[in-house]
Amino acid sequence: MEPLFVNRVANSGLVTLNLEEMLHPGERVVYDIKDNLFHGLMLREKDFREFVKTHDWTQYDNKNVAIVCSADAIVPTWAYMLLATKLQGHAHRYVFGNLDALEQSLFEEAIAAIDTEEYRDAKVVVKGCGDKPVPTFAYVAIMQKLLPVTSSIMYGEPCSTVPLYKKPKTASVVE
């Protein structure tokens, strides 16, 4: 006897790609250099170097750090670079910018790490709904990564997709 219901989604060969699952799970933190300013106005090199030397950088282990200065102050570029020397080896990722810039950097890192061969000639569904917000730029970036290798790309859920791309069929050569 034939089954009453056939799970066509399970039998379709669709590969689901969930961008939110690719992100580094480490905590996101902001390092605001304003706390190192002299009178909230400027950075004094000697004081800042002493702080950098004695600060406990292990508190950033495996975290993702956004480096900002929320004060309207004079902060030389080298100061941000000096922070980077101390975050290296502790933080998973660090960027100059706000939490949005950090999130973009994390998505870029995750997308760059994708082995496109896993998706060669595949029918891919890029998952559209989830527990964590995925910024639009990540969806555009994943298209750039997958378009050269997939046979088709859809958006949504396997049971309800929006078709976006289908590889053109190559014309057969008749001699």
Side-chain angles (χ1 to χ4, degrees), residues 15-175:
V15 176
T16 301
L17 190 146
N18 187 348
L19 287 171
E20 73 178 40
E21 290 176 354
M22 303 171 104
L23 275 181
H24 186 266
E27 182 182 348
R28 279 89 167 129
V29 296
V30 173
Y31 181 88
D32 194 341
I33 206 167
K34 77 170 173 55
D35 299 328
N36 301 107
L37 299 176
F38 178 71
H39 294 299
L41 298 172
M42 63 183 208
L43 194 73
R44 291 187 4 183
E45 182 176 357
K46 183 179 178 186
D47 296 341
F48 185 63
R49 285 189 179 276
E50 183 60 28
F51 165 80
V52 167
K53 188 174 168 184
T54 59
H55 186 67
D56 177 17
W57 296 101
T58 61
Q59 65 185 297
Y60 300 100
D61 285 353
N62 211 31
K63 292 182 182 175
N64 299 292
V65 183
I67 304 168
V68 299
C69 182
S70 63
D72 186 18
I74 300 166
V75 179
T77 303
W78 63 260
Y80 299 107
M81 296 169 71
L82 188 58
L83 287 174
T85 67
K86 295 301 183 176
L87 289 168
Q88 183 71 28
H90 291 287
H92 166 75
R93 191 136 190 97
Y94 52 90
V95 300
F96 174 77
N98 61 18
L99 288 171
D100 289 338
L102 176 61
E103 212 61 28
Q104 179 165 346
S105 179
L106 289 168
F107 270 110
E108 288 170 349
E109 175 187 50
I111 290 168
I114 292 173
D115 179 6
T116 56
E117 286 307 308
E118 293 179 29
Y119 299 97
R120 182 155 307 278
D121 299 322
K123 296 175 184 172
V124 178
V125 177
V126 178
K127 189 171 169 47
C129 299
D131 300 326
K132 300 172 191 163
V134 175
T136 303
F137 83 84
Y139 290 107
V140 174
I142 198 65
M143 292 299 287
Q144 185 173 23
K145 184 85 172 189
L146 295 180
L147 279 171
V149 296
T150 58
S151 68
S152 67
I153 302 176
M154 295 156 273
Y155 171 82
E157 302 294 324
C159 61
S160 175
T161 61
V162 176
L164 301 172
Y165 168 77
K166 186 166 183 138
K167 187 179 202 175
K169 294 187 185 206
T170 55
S172 57
V173 178
V174 179
E175 292 186 34

Side-chain angles (χ1 to χ4, degrees), residues 6-14 158-159:
V6 175
N7 187 340
R8 292 187 309 176
V9 172
N11 296 334
S12 67
L14 295 175
C159 61

